[in-house]
Amino acid sequence: MNVYSGRGGSSGSSSNGTRSQRRTAAPRCKCGRPSVVYTSKTLRNPNRALFGCPNFKEKLPYCNFFKWVDNCSNDSMDLEDWRMNKLELNNAEVEFKLNYMDMKLNEHEMKIREQQTKMIQLSMKMVAEFDRVEKEIRLLGRCARVFAVTIVVVGAICIYAGGRLE
C-alpha cells in the first residue's frame, strides 16, 4: 500500500522528521491502482501536493484521478480502503472458485483421456479378432476348395473306373 507521510512528500516514502508525521494511505485512483503524489506547478496552486493516477507521467492512458493531499481525510480514505479490501476479498473468492473449477476440469479431462485409452485398446482387440476370423475364413475356404476338388477327382475316378468295369 502506498503511504504518504506529511505534506510535500512522495508516495511510498516517509518524512525525515521535519515535516508533519501524519500517515495516510494513498487513495486508489479510478484505475484501481494506488495513487502517487505529484506537486502542482500551476500559478494558482504552486508546489501544492496532490494525489494522481500513476499512469499520468508514464504517457499511458490514465483516469484523470485528482485529489489535493491537504483535503484528504482519513475517514474518506478508510472508506475507500474498506471498499478496496472488499473488492480484493471478492477477487480472491473468484480466483479460488476459478482454481477449483480448473482443478475439476483437469480431473474430467483425465477421465476422458482414460476412457479414450480404453476405447483405443478395445478397438485394437476388435481389429485383432477380425483379422483372426478372416484368416479362419480364408483357411476354411481353402479347405472347402480342396474338399470340392477332391470330390470331383474322386467322382471322376469313379466314373472312369465305373466305365471300365462294365
Side-chain angles (χ1 to χ4, degrees):
M1 173 188 301
N2 283 353
V3 175
Y4 168 72
S5 178
R7 183 183 160 107
S10 65
S11 177
S13 67
S14 61
S15 79
N16 59 13
T18 59
R19 295 189 178 128
S20 167
Q21 291 298 311
R22 183 186 69 159
R23 292 178 61 91
T24 304
R28 297 209 179 248
C29 71
K30 295 173 191 171
C31 299
R33 298 179 59 200
S35 59
V36 294
V37 177
Y38 296 108
T39 302
S40 171
K41 304 289 186 205
T42 65
L43 292 175
R44 189 169 180 189
N45 294 293
N47 298 321
R48 188 173 177 192
L50 61 105
F51 289 113
C53 179
N55 290 340
F56 174 67
K57 290 203 175 177
E58 300 298 322
K59 299 196 176 160
L60 296 171
Y62 61 97
C63 64
N64 294 325
F65 174 77
F66 162 83
K67 193 176 239 183
W68 293 116
V69 170
D70 51 9
N71 287 350
C72 286
S73 70
N74 285 336
D75 293 340
S76 68
M77 281 191 271
D78 287 342
L79 179 60
E80 287 178 28
D81 285 342
W82 177 82
R83 286 179 181 154
M84 197 61 187
N85 286 339
K86 186 175 180 180
L87 288 173
E88 287 171 354
L89 284 174
N90 288 345
N91 186 37
E93 183 179 352
V94 168
E95 283 188 36
F96 175 79
K97 287 179 180 179
L98 282 173
N99 287 335
Y100 177 78
M101 289 171 34
D102 192 40
M103 180 187 71
K104 287 296 188 182
L105 178 63
N106 287 337
E107 287 175 9
H108 289 296
E109 286 175 343
M110 191 180 322
K111 287 179 182 178
I112 288 170
R113 282 191 294 276
E114 289 171 3
Q115 293 299 319
Q116 287 173 333
T117 301
K118 287 179 182 178
M119 288 174 58
I120 290 170
Q121 290 170 345
L122 286 173
S123 295
M124 290 171 63
K125 285 181 181 179
M126 288 174 58
V127 167
E129 183 65 16
F130 178 79
D131 288 345
R132 187 190 66 77
V133 169
E134 187 178 36
K135 286 177 186 175
E136 280 185 30
I137 290 172
R138 277 196 224 131
L139 182 61
L140 288 174
R142 283 190 209 135
C143 289
R145 280 191 297 250
V146 169
F147 183 69
V149 169
T150 304
I151 290 176
V152 169
V153 169
V154 169
I157 290 172
C158 287
I159 290 173
Y160 179 73
R164 284 189 161 224
L165 293 175
E166 290 184 6

